[in-house]
Amino acid sequence: KYQVPTAFYEVFSEIEPALAFIARHGAPIVVKADGLAAGKGVIVARSNEEASEAVRDMLSGNAFGAAGSRVVIEEFLEGEEASFLAFTDGKVIIPLASAQDHKPVFDNDEGPNTGGMGAYSPAPVVTPEIHEQAMHLVMRRTVDGMAAEGRPYRGVLYAGLMIKDGQVKTLEFNARFGDPECQPLLMRLKSDLVPVLLACARGDLSGIELEWHDQAAVCVVMASGGYPGDFAKGFPIDGLEQAAAIDDLVVFHAGTAQQGGRFVNSGGRVLGVTGRGPTVAAAIDKAYQGVRAISWEGAHYRTDIGRKALTRG
Ligand code: GLY
């Protein structure tokens, strides 16, 4: 409606028309649950069979419950993803620094998608030209569109972008910070966050400017073995004190709990181990120094977080 660039798509709540759409367009194709699914409701299907099975699972209610009662089937977009976040008071838009997430569970972007296995900032894929497109074609049109709909948006708006051949398309929006993008972004933010959030809530961001550390930051997510599928909980986590002693490193807790005075894993994504350094390469080293200090039974993490930033040169 507001010409925000996106993939070609259709929405379905019945199985047969959805299967016909898949047969017509063919794989690769993307099947999305049209509701909240903890970041796991997107199936990038490599075959028509895989796409059809995802549709049947979602629309029959077996996968994601009510969140899967409608599905969006979308053209498969190639390219490199980036996360573009901005603060807005419903009129003024202040972009955050660029960031990139790593959604698949295994190295080299293999395996099923997760909520995010690691992120870094800045992301060189967001060139000044891409930044301009994201601001004008995605953020401005969305914020103005929401205001025109009588639902002005205030807060953090997150656009998941796909970038190819200098063109931006929108994959998704989140009405929140990204996890794990938030961790490196806030490690780089010099400004006090509270006045910025208050200004969003009060509807007046004019006069607010964000200051950033020049340094890069990288977050490596440590997950429970088996995530994003089933995983066992309750394993004691070792090495948190050693990691806490490392400079320019913060271990953000996500899926942890305390049992008998010890931290144990209690969720899929357990820790966001986030390092800062003068370059992305240095921040990667710092984050993995922290990761190597920490262990529990079955702990899993990607070993290539941030590599895409390095191979761009
Ligand atoms: N990292 C993706 C998200 O927060 O949705």
Side-chain angles (χ1 to χ4, degrees):
K1 188 170 176 186
Y2 293 98
Q3 285 83 49
V4 176
T6 184
F8 172 76
Y9 70 95
E10 273 190 40
V11 182
F12 299 92
S13 46
E14 302 290 333
I15 293 178
E16 286 312 317
L19 297 183
F21 181 88
I22 291 166
R24 212 161 49 245
H25 292 279
I29 199 162
V30 181
V31 181
K32 294 178 168 180
D34 192 22
L36 293 175
K40 290 175 244 165
V42 177
I43 308 294
V44 181
R46 303 282 162 183
S47 66
N48 288 15
E49 293 67 40
E50 192 187 350
S52 303
E53 194 183 320
V55 160
R56 283 197 199 93
D57 276 354
M58 290 183 197
L59 291 182
S60 65
N62 286 342
F64 313 123
S69 62
R70 280 194 341 165
V71 298
V72 179
I73 308 184
E74 234 178 49
E75 172 194 2
F76 172 79
L77 294 178
E78 286 178 82
E80 191 171 339
E81 282 189 51
S83 307
F84 196 95
L85 286 80
F87 294 112
T88 178
D89 58 8
K91 301 178 288 291
V92 177
I93 303 171
I94 303 182
L96 278 74
S98 58
Q100 190 177 54
D101 187 13
H102 299 61
K103 293 214 172 67
V105 68
F106 299 126
D107 284 7
N108 302 316
D109 287 341
E110 287 173 13
N113 267 351
T114 67
M117 292 299 290
Y120 63 92
S121 171
V125 66
V126 183
T127 59
E129 295 75 30
I130 294 294
H131 179 96
E132 282 305 294
Q133 278 188 46
M135 280 297 283
H136 290 106
L137 305 184
V138 182
M139 289 299 178
R140 176 49 66 201
R141 288 179 182 179
T142 302
V143 167
D144 288 352
M146 290 190 70
E149 298 283 320
R151 293 188 198 85
Y153 181 85
R154 292 178 182 177
V156 182
L157 183 61
Y158 165 134
L161 305 178
M162 184 65 89
I163 298 159
K164 181 154 189 257
D165 299 334
Q167 301 295 317
V168 160
K169 290 208 175 166
T170 313
L171 297 174
E172 63 168 354
F173 286 106
N174 288 306
R176 55 170 172 77
F177 281 105
D179 179 8
E181 294 92 325
C182 185
Q183 291 87 318
L185 284 171
L186 291 193
M187 291 267 295
R188 293 192 61 215
L189 184 66
K190 233 191 235 178
S191 313
D192 186 350
L193 181 63
V194 173
V196 183
L197 296 179
L198 274 175
C200 288
R202 289 177 176 145
D204 187 11
L205 265 179
S206 57
I208 296 271
E209 280 185 25
L210 300 182
E211 258 197 283
W212 297 93
H213 289 284
D214 281 340
Q215 290 176 313
V218 172
C219 173
V220 178
V221 169
M222 298 184 74
S224 297
Y227 171 81
D230 294 339
F231 53 85
K233 301 178 186 179
F235 295 117
I237 302 172
D238 292 319
L240 290 168
E241 298 77 17
Q242 288 87 329
I246 300 173
D247 285 340
D248 285 327
L249 185 91
V250 178
V251 179
F252 293 94
H253 286 232
T256 63
Q258 280 193 302
Q259 266 175 26
R262 297 207 55 184
F263 280 105
V264 298
N265 70 316
S266 66
R269 291 186 296 165
V270 178
L271 299 169
V273 183
T274 310
R276 205 166 52 190
T279 60
V280 174
I284 292 172
D285 286 347
K286 182 64 76 170
Y288 280 105
Q289 193 187 334
V291 166
R292 281 192 301 275
I294 299 169
S295 60
W296 71 89
E297 196 173 321
H300 167 71
Y301 56 89
R302 280 180 61 155
T303 65
D304 63 348
I305 301 301
R307 198 180 292 162
K308 276 186 207 157
L310 307 185
T311 51
R312 294 192 142 254

